[in-house]
Amino acid sequence: MMQRNRFSDKTLQTIVGNLLRYGVWLALSVGAVGGIIYLLRHGHEPAQYSSFIENDRHIGQLIKEIITGIKVGSGRAIIFSGIILLFLTPAARLVLSFFSFMIEKDYLYVTITLIVMMIIGISISLGYGH
């Protein structure tokens, strides 16, 4: 008897669970490392809360600044990359759901997932660029 190794819902749930679990732990670890680096370099400086400076930048520019900051070991950039990882973890779950619905040929949920991904993409691009 030939046994086929099929991709099942339980396998997908296991993958999604691990993705969310390890994604959150990775994001928290990166943020903690960035926080430690930031405190070691700037922990003695007084905090300035008297004025608020809005950073109105495009998402592409922001990502470029984060990559540049990580290259030089900026604690702030590493913290921000942890925040982005935390945001991308459920987004990766959405992409994984899209492919699982494609494998199952459940085109209603493929369409719904695509609409949600488009809404998130538009929100990200419009949220930073005015």
Side-chain angles (χ1 to χ4, degrees), residues 43-110:
H44 61 282
E45 298 173 3
Q48 297 290 332
Y49 297 112
S50 60
S51 64
F52 176 74
I53 300 170
E54 183 177 348
N55 291 321
D56 191 18
R57 295 172 284 186
H58 189 268
I59 188 71
Q61 180 186 6
L62 183 67
I63 291 174
K64 185 177 178 182
E65 289 175 11
I66 290 172
I67 291 171
T68 304
I70 289 173
K71 287 179 182 176
V72 297
S74 167
R76 182 178 294 183
I78 295 171
I79 292 171
F80 215 155
S81 67
I83 293 169
I84 291 201
L85 282 174
L86 192 60
F87 173 76
L88 288 179
T89 300
R93 187 250 188 267
L94 195 62
V95 171
L96 195 62
S97 295
F98 172 77
F99 286 114
S100 73
F101 293 138
M102 287 291 288
I103 290 171
E104 295 174 357
K105 298 183 182 186
D106 192 346
Y107 297 113
L108 174 65
Y109 284 103
V110 167

Side-chain angles (χ1 to χ4, degrees), residues 105-125:
K105 298 183 182 186
D106 192 346
Y107 297 113
L108 174 65
Y109 284 103
V110 167
T111 305
I112 292 171
T113 306
L114 273 176
I115 291 170
V116 171
M117 289 188 328
M118 284 177 24
I119 290 171
I120 290 173
I122 291 170
S123 298
I124 290 171
S125 63

